Amino acid sequence: MSQTPAETAAPDSAEGAPAFRSEVTVELVKHSAADSDVLWAARVSTAGEQSLDELRKDPERSKGLINYLMRDRHGSPFEHNSMTFFISAPIFVFREFMRHRVGWSYNEESGRYRQLEPVFYVPDASRKLVQQGRPGKYEFVQGTQEQLDVTTRVMEDSYRQAYAAYQEMLAAGVAREVARSVLPVGLFSSMYATCNARSLMHFLGLRTQHELAAVPSFPQREIEMVGERMEAEWAKLMPLTYAAFNANGRIAP
């Protein structure tokens, strides 16, 4: 599923001029993931090779087993599946994303081997701008129109200046891997991210806020946007597993 980005070109739009986006995109490009994958992996403990019979049965009849595995945190049966997403998001999102290492594989666009496109992140009016409180107890609240206007103007001006410096260095023959150093973390990048249901549940438990979560999390909004889109795709592939995840406090087994 691709999400249409909110994207605007700079007012002096020309070839190579910066463009600004407030949305991330997530596309499920490949998968081998179903609730039955959890069941045959779990039943091998008692049924041996006969556990493969689960592939020909309706998983609905064994949703109690899936819930039991989730509730009692028998996690390994949730690893026998795979999902690959193509994600477009600001670089600062990927730097947080790659803190998740167990059960994940990544390949990201390289600024060493290609000229990076001038697409940059600017928050829209829905993004809460003001932080109140102290670390561990702070909250974000809606900013004023003036604060949004300042944020938009300063970010766009900074992006234009940074990309002009990048182009100047490239035009002078400076290597891409050196010239990219002037670009900010608000630049959009793209990557493939491959995971299994267990690793995705751990990611969602930390990177999304949800009313059913037994342990509250306070993610940065931009990585939460990615998590929400990945979650929507996974929920369609493994609905029984997804329901058990929510029913048991959104804690990865």
Side-chain angles (χ1 to χ4, degrees), residues 1-252:
M1 176 183 69
S2 294
Q3 304 289 327
T4 302
E7 180 171 323
T8 58
D12 55 343
S13 182
E15 186 175 356
F20 309 109
R21 288 173 53 176
S22 60
E23 287 293 322
V24 302
T25 61
V26 175
E27 181 182 0
L28 179 67
V29 297
K30 185 177 67 169
H31 69 86
S32 174
D35 290 315
S36 57
D37 295 329
V38 179
L39 296 172
W40 61 255
R43 292 198 187 281
V44 73
S45 298
T46 56
E49 68 278 4
Q50 294 178 2
S51 60
L52 288 174
D53 291 343
E54 292 295 335
L55 294 173
R56 295 183 290 275
K57 296 178 181 177
D58 180 5
E60 185 74 28
R61 60 185 283 279
S62 296
K63 64 182 179 181
L65 173 58
I66 291 176
N67 189 71
Y68 158 75
L69 295 169
M70 190 77 69
R71 184 194 69 211
D72 286 15
R73 305 189 72 181
H74 296 290
S76 58
F78 297 99
E79 297 176 3
H80 295 271
N81 56 82
S82 177
M83 293 164 279
T84 298
F85 299 91
F86 183 72
I87 303 168
S88 179
I91 288 174
F92 67 80
V93 170
F94 288 170
R95 295 306 161 262
E96 282 199 338
F97 208 121
M98 291 173 184
R99 298 294 296 170
H100 298 267
R101 299 180 297 278
V102 178
W104 288 90
S105 296
Y106 303 108
N107 279 93
E108 186 182 354
E109 176 182 356
S110 173
R112 296 184 67 196
Y113 302 119
R114 62 168 300 187
Q115 181 172 333
L116 297 170
E117 296 297 317
V119 181
F120 298 93
Y121 174 74
V122 176
D124 63 17
S126 68
R127 207 314 182 179
K128 296 177 179 178
L129 294 177
V130 179
Q131 178 180 322
Q132 296 181 161
R134 57 184 175 80
K137 299 198 84 165
Y138 60 72
E139 62 176 352
F140 284 87
V141 298
Q142 208 70 40
T144 64
Q145 184 60 49
E146 181 181 8
Q147 287 171 322
L148 179 62
D149 292 343
V150 167
T151 298
T152 300
R153 174 178 56 79
V154 171
M155 291 179 79
E156 291 184 1
D157 288 348
S158 177
Y159 291 150
R160 290 190 184 97
Q161 182 178 4
Y163 200 76
Y166 176 66
Q167 288 182 304
E168 180 179 356
M169 295 172 75
L170 293 179
V174 176
R176 289 183 292 265
E177 65 182 48
V178 177
R180 65 177 175 171
S181 301
V182 301
L183 294 173
V185 293
L187 181 76
F188 269 75
S189 187
S190 58
M191 73 170 178
Y192 289 107
T194 299
C195 63
N196 58 58
R198 190 183 192 185
S199 54
L200 180 58
M201 284 186 278
H202 183 260
F203 177 90
L204 295 175
L206 292 173
R207 302 299 183 177
T208 61
Q209 286 187 312
H210 199 284
E211 60 184 5
L212 296 177
V215 180
S217 186
F218 304 95
Q220 183 162 341
R221 177 55 190 156
E222 288 76 14
I223 196 169
E224 184 179 36
M225 290 158 59
V226 173
E228 289 169 347
R229 287 155 175 77
M230 296 174 73
E231 180 171 345
E233 295 293 343
W234 171 57
K236 291 183 286 188
L237 297 175
M238 303 178 72
L240 300 179
T241 303
Y242 179 64
F245 175 59
N246 282 318
N248 289 278
R250 294 175 66 87
I251 297 173

